[in-house]
Amino acid sequence: MYTLGIDIGSTTSKAVILKDGEEMLASSIVIATVGTDGVTQVIRNVLDESGIKEEEIGCTVATGYGRQTYEGADYQVSELSCHALGIHHVFPGARTVIDIGGQDAKVLSLNEQGRMVNFVMNDKCAAGTGRFLDVMANILKLDISELETEAAKAEKVASISSTCTVFAESEVISQLASGTAIPDLVAGICQSVAVRVASLAKRVGIRADVCMSGGVAKNGGVREAMARELGVEILHDENAQLMGALGAALYGWDKVKSVG
Ligand code: ADP
């Protein structure tokens, strides 16, 4: 039985097709905002990649910020529940999940069964989210995927003192003008995100295993800064950005299984 999980985020749409709640047959990430045709595109991508026809999908579950805008789903499930399901599937030992997406950051505390027992969220301010990194990468004329390699070359982490994205943007521009090396600036930018989200995480309480999900988890500069801030090892998976969509597909599998 095939299930389709769709995660409609603020910055990207993600989809996963699962076979029998285990095997990921296809996945796709499309940069798109809510209300665009990103959802149609991401579904088309996973159907094409897997060779499965739409009518063969046993259950479709939508999650994420824009889940209500998609009418083709059998269920609409909160992103917190889907993230917890996806993470528990990949990292059964995970007790703390740090999820940094395009416009928010969430920290979830999970129990042994993978159920969420507590969470905190920042969706009020761009600092400590992917948006902050996107803005800074743009100033430095770097692709978002280049931040990790630049941060790794840093000799001295630049200090970014402004917590506000707009002020931090001016600070980065003036440091750039005064000759601060780009790798040092990038490491400072990554550290700034890590410091913001680590303080959120400390409010929930850090219990190992700690893992990161969401698009920003792809950035090794932020992962390393987070590990330093929290003093713990940070687990992540190459599919970190797909955890919500994976959780949605797993939710669908649970539903079809229970119907029999
Ligand atoms: P949402 O679910 O809110 O749409 P995502 O979890 O997809 O957000 O994360 C989007 C963010 O991930 C982007 O704002 C960007 O900062 C970051 N990101 C995306 N791809 C990469 C990459 N290859 N390397 C580093 N960061 C990335």
Side-chain angles (χ1 to χ4, degrees), residues 1-3 18-21 56-59 253 256:
M1 170 70 75
Y2 306 119
T3 58
L18 270 190
K19 183 178 177 202
D20 299 336
E56 291 178 88
I57 301 285
C59 186
W253 169 241
V256 272

Short mmCIF file of all heavy atoms in Angstrom, two decimals, residues 1-3 18-21 56-59 253 256:
data_model
loop_
_atom_site.label_atom_id
_atom_site.label_comp_id
_atom_site.label_asym_id
_atom_site.label_seq_id
_atom_site.Cartn_x
_atom_site.Cartn_y
_atom_site.Cartn_z
N MET A 1 0.84 -1.21 0.00
CA MET A 1 0.00 0.00 0.00
C MET A 1 0.88 1.26 0.00
O MET A 1 1.87 1.32 0.72
CB MET A 1 -0.91 -0.04 1.25
CG MET A 1 -1.68 1.23 1.52
SD MET A 1 -2.99 1.58 0.34
CE MET A 1 -4.24 0.39 0.83
N TYR A 2 0.50 2.21 -0.84
CA TYR A 2 1.28 3.45 -0.93
C TYR A 2 0.57 4.59 -0.19
O TYR A 2 -0.65 4.73 -0.31
CB TYR A 2 1.45 3.88 -2.39
CG TYR A 2 2.03 2.80 -3.27
CD1 TYR A 2 1.30 2.30 -4.36
CD2 TYR A 2 3.29 2.27 -3.01
CE1 TYR A 2 1.83 1.30 -5.17
CE2 TYR A 2 3.82 1.28 -3.81
CZ TYR A 2 3.08 0.80 -4.88
OH TYR A 2 3.61 -0.19 -5.68
N THR A 3 1.35 5.36 0.56
CA THR A 3 0.77 6.56 1.18
C THR A 3 1.60 7.77 0.78
O THR A 3 2.82 7.68 0.60
CB THR A 3 0.69 6.44 2.72
OG1 THR A 3 2.00 6.20 3.25
CG2 THR A 3 -0.23 5.32 3.15
N LEU A 18 5.49 6.63 0.52
CA LEU A 18 5.97 5.50 1.30
C LEU A 18 5.27 4.22 0.85
O LEU A 18 4.08 4.25 0.54
CB LEU A 18 5.62 5.69 2.77
CG LEU A 18 6.57 6.40 3.72
CD1 LEU A 18 6.05 6.20 5.15
CD2 LEU A 18 7.99 5.88 3.61
N LYS A 19 6.02 3.12 0.87
CA LYS A 19 5.40 1.81 0.60
C LYS A 19 5.29 1.08 1.94
O LYS A 19 6.31 0.93 2.64
CB LYS A 19 6.26 1.02 -0.38
CG LYS A 19 5.65 -0.30 -0.76
CD LYS A 19 6.50 -1.03 -1.75
CE LYS A 19 5.88 -2.38 -2.03
NZ LYS A 19 6.82 -3.33 -2.55
N ASP A 20 4.10 0.68 2.32
CA ASP A 20 3.84 -0.07 3.55
C ASP A 20 4.46 0.58 4.79
O ASP A 20 4.96 -0.12 5.69
CB ASP A 20 4.34 -1.51 3.41
CG ASP A 20 3.65 -2.25 2.29
OD1 ASP A 20 2.52 -1.84 1.94
OD2 ASP A 20 4.22 -3.21 1.75
N GLY A 21 4.46 1.89 4.84
CA GLY A 21 4.95 2.60 6.02
C GLY A 21 6.43 2.43 6.28
O GLY A 21 6.91 2.73 7.38
N GLU A 56 -3.47 4.98 -7.30
CA GLU A 56 -2.89 3.86 -6.52
C GLU A 56 -2.53 4.28 -5.09
O GLU A 56 -2.17 3.45 -4.27
CB GLU A 56 -1.63 3.35 -7.20
CG GLU A 56 -1.85 2.65 -8.54
CD GLU A 56 -0.52 2.23 -9.15
OE1 GLU A 56 -0.05 1.11 -8.84
OE2 GLU A 56 0.06 3.03 -9.92
N ILE A 57 -2.59 5.59 -4.82
CA ILE A 57 -2.25 6.07 -3.47
C ILE A 57 -3.40 5.75 -2.51
O ILE A 57 -4.54 6.16 -2.75
CB ILE A 57 -1.99 7.61 -3.49
CG1 ILE A 57 -0.85 7.97 -4.44
CG2 ILE A 57 -1.74 8.15 -2.08
CD1 ILE A 57 0.55 7.66 -3.99
N GLY A 58 -3.09 5.02 -1.44
CA GLY A 58 -4.14 4.59 -0.50
C GLY A 58 -4.61 5.70 0.43
O GLY A 58 -5.77 5.71 0.86
N CYS A 59 -3.72 6.61 0.75
CA CYS A 59 -4.09 7.68 1.67
C CYS A 59 -3.14 8.86 1.48
O CYS A 59 -1.93 8.68 1.35
CB CYS A 59 -4.01 7.17 3.11
SG CYS A 59 -4.59 8.34 4.34
N TRP A 253 -0.28 5.79 6.66
CA TRP A 253 -0.11 4.33 6.74
C TRP A 253 -0.81 3.79 7.99
O TRP A 253 -1.48 2.76 7.95
CB TRP A 253 1.39 3.99 6.76
CG TRP A 253 1.71 2.56 7.10
CD1 TRP A 253 2.43 2.12 8.16
CD2 TRP A 253 1.31 1.38 6.38
NE1 TRP A 253 2.51 0.75 8.16
CE2 TRP A 253 1.83 0.27 7.08
CE3 TRP A 253 0.55 1.16 5.23
CZ2 TRP A 253 1.63 -1.04 6.67
CZ3 TRP A 253 0.34 -0.17 4.82
CH2 TRP A 253 0.89 -1.24 5.52
N VAL A 256 -4.57 3.64 7.17
CA VAL A 256 -5.01 2.55 6.26
C VAL A 256 -4.86 1.19 6.93
O VAL A 256 -5.68 0.30 6.76
CB VAL A 256 -4.30 2.54 4.88
CG1 VAL A 256 -4.99 3.38 3.88
CG2 VAL A 256 -2.86 2.90 4.93
#
